[in-house]
Amino acid sequence: MPEMIIREAIARGLSEALDQDDNVFLIGEDIGAYGGAYAVTTGFLEKYGPERIRDTPISESAIVGSAVGAAIAGLRPIVEIMTINFTLLAMDQIVNHAAKLRYMSNGQLTVPIVIRTVTGGGGQLGATHSQSFEGWYASVPGLEVVVPSTPYDALGLLRAAIRDENPTIFAEHSLLYGVRGEVPDEWYEVPLGKAVVRRPGDDLTIVAYSRMAHVGLEAAELLVASKGKEAEVIDLRTLRPLDMETVVESVKKTNRVVIVEEAWRTGGFAAEIASAIQEEAFDYLDGPVARVGGADVPAPYAGNLEQATLPSAERVLQAIEENLGV
């Protein structure tokens, strides 16, 4: 099976959408001549022209607002916002318009837009460029939130999101663009709202998403090496819709669980998952639901300090040992 990196998988999905549907167009800052801040749309302007690859001024509210209007009119915009930090400037358009118009119009209007944006820290970009807000958006009814961790999922989930009639936040972690993996040549989609078991195990469940799915897998290997225990690692893939069925079934089998996410621990999406676990699988738990999240501080610029704020495999293993008694 051929391999590619996540950047290439996303570019392939965008190119397919443009080729298959004349109503699809891309809009965002520096996506044309510059090729995108993360080089995803390199060559797109030359191939598809300025009518379908729309470079914009630096105005996130105008970018998303224009996309919402275009979607209502029958087009299918794919928006690129340089980082999820900058979506704060378009919160009204995303939360009060894109997410609600289908409901408020009783289905007479749809807003089939995909908002591609970059999330996460670890790149020494400072406090205002290193945040993880996908959990915020997952709390909003009417939005779908996608958090891929592999090239296979990035392409399959992007295909599903583009074909969906609801607005989607497609959050790509900045440190995962170079992750390599197998991607089949034949057409496939990854359904929204279906988690995947990345690693089977019977002694403990690790729940994670995006880059933390990779950290969870590293922690599972450390657990085997240090304790001889096997952790089952679940990659959520989407936060809304959220596949709690796969999580609960795993917890019923392992009886212990730790949830890992990069966002700040206070108010993090992991708390929502933990609450759902205790509601749906309380009688199966042999210990508390453990959470590992980012430190409750603005991201430092210094690399060593920033790394100290982010969850690591070692911190996950420590949480397993301290909270779960494994």
Side-chain angles (χ1 to χ4, degrees), residues 37 45 114 121 139 147 185 217:
L45 180 61
V114 175
S139 72
V147 281
D185 288 329
L217 288 169

Side-chain angles (χ1 to χ4, degrees), residues 6-260:
I6 286 182
R7 177 183 288 107
E8 294 167 336
I10 295 170
R12 176 175 166 182
L14 296 175
S15 184
E16 289 173 349
L18 289 162
D19 290 339
Q20 293 169 2
D21 188 347
D22 290 340
N23 288 321
V24 172
F25 70 96
L26 311 188
I27 181 171
E29 299 168 21
D30 288 334
I31 65 170
Y34 188 70
Y38 290 86
V40 172
T41 54
T42 299
F44 275 52
L45 180 61
E46 293 76 12
K47 182 177 181 180
Y48 297 104
E51 289 297 309
R52 303 190 70 194
I53 310 299
R54 293 277 186 167
D55 261 327
T56 67
I58 302 174
S59 178
E60 286 75 14
S61 61
I63 295 167
V64 178
S66 298
V68 170
I72 291 172
L75 300 178
R76 303 187 78 88
I78 302 174
V79 177
E80 180 176 317
I81 301 295
M82 200 173 292
T83 89
I84 203 165
N85 306 274
F86 301 165
T87 65
L88 299 181
L89 296 163
M91 284 282 277
D92 184 53
Q93 286 74 20
I94 296 170
V95 174
N96 278 335
H97 298 280
K100 294 181 172 63
L101 282 169
R102 188 174 189 179
Y103 172 79
M104 294 179 70
S105 69
N106 195 30
Q108 296 177 83
L109 303 176
T110 57
V111 188
I113 68 174
V114 175
I115 300 174
R116 292 184 47 247
T117 190
V118 174
T119 190
Q124 286 189 260
L125 296 177
T128 60
H129 292 65
S130 306
Q131 301 165 113
S132 302
F133 293 143
E134 56 274 358
W136 287 11
Y137 288 114
S139 72
V140 179
L143 290 180
E144 294 171 331
V145 179
V146 177
V147 281
S149 68
T150 68
Y152 179 92
D153 284 354
L155 177 56
L157 289 166
L158 183 59
R159 286 169 171 166
I162 291 171
R163 291 161 65 90
D164 201 277
E165 294 300 318
N166 297 301
T168 302
I169 304 293
F170 197 90
E172 305 158 13
H173 198 286
S174 60
L175 299 188
L176 293 184
Y177 279 119
V179 168
R180 183 169 295 277
E182 294 183 340
V183 178
D185 288 329
E186 61 270 16
W187 181 271
Y188 70 93
E189 291 184 17
V190 175
L192 306 185
K194 185 60 180 176
V196 63
V197 177
R198 295 286 183 208
R199 186 184 194 279
D202 296 318
D203 299 310
L204 170 80
T205 298
I206 298 174
V207 180
Y209 64 88
S210 191
R211 193 174 79 85
M212 291 300 105
H214 295 273
V215 170
L217 288 169
E218 293 174 22
E221 294 298 326
L222 291 179
L223 185 62
V224 172
S226 64
K227 303 292 183 181
K229 301 289 187 179
E230 294 286 351
E232 183 153 283
V233 180
I234 295 175
D235 184 347
L236 293 174
R237 302 203 283 196
T238 64
L239 301 186
R240 194 177 189 106
L242 177 63
D243 179 8
M244 281 305 302
E245 182 178 352
T246 297
V247 173
V248 168
E249 286 305 308
S250 179
V251 172
K252 287 180 178 180
K253 178 178 67 172
T254 68
N255 311 119
R256 297 181 184 277
V257 59
V258 57
I259 307 162
V260 189

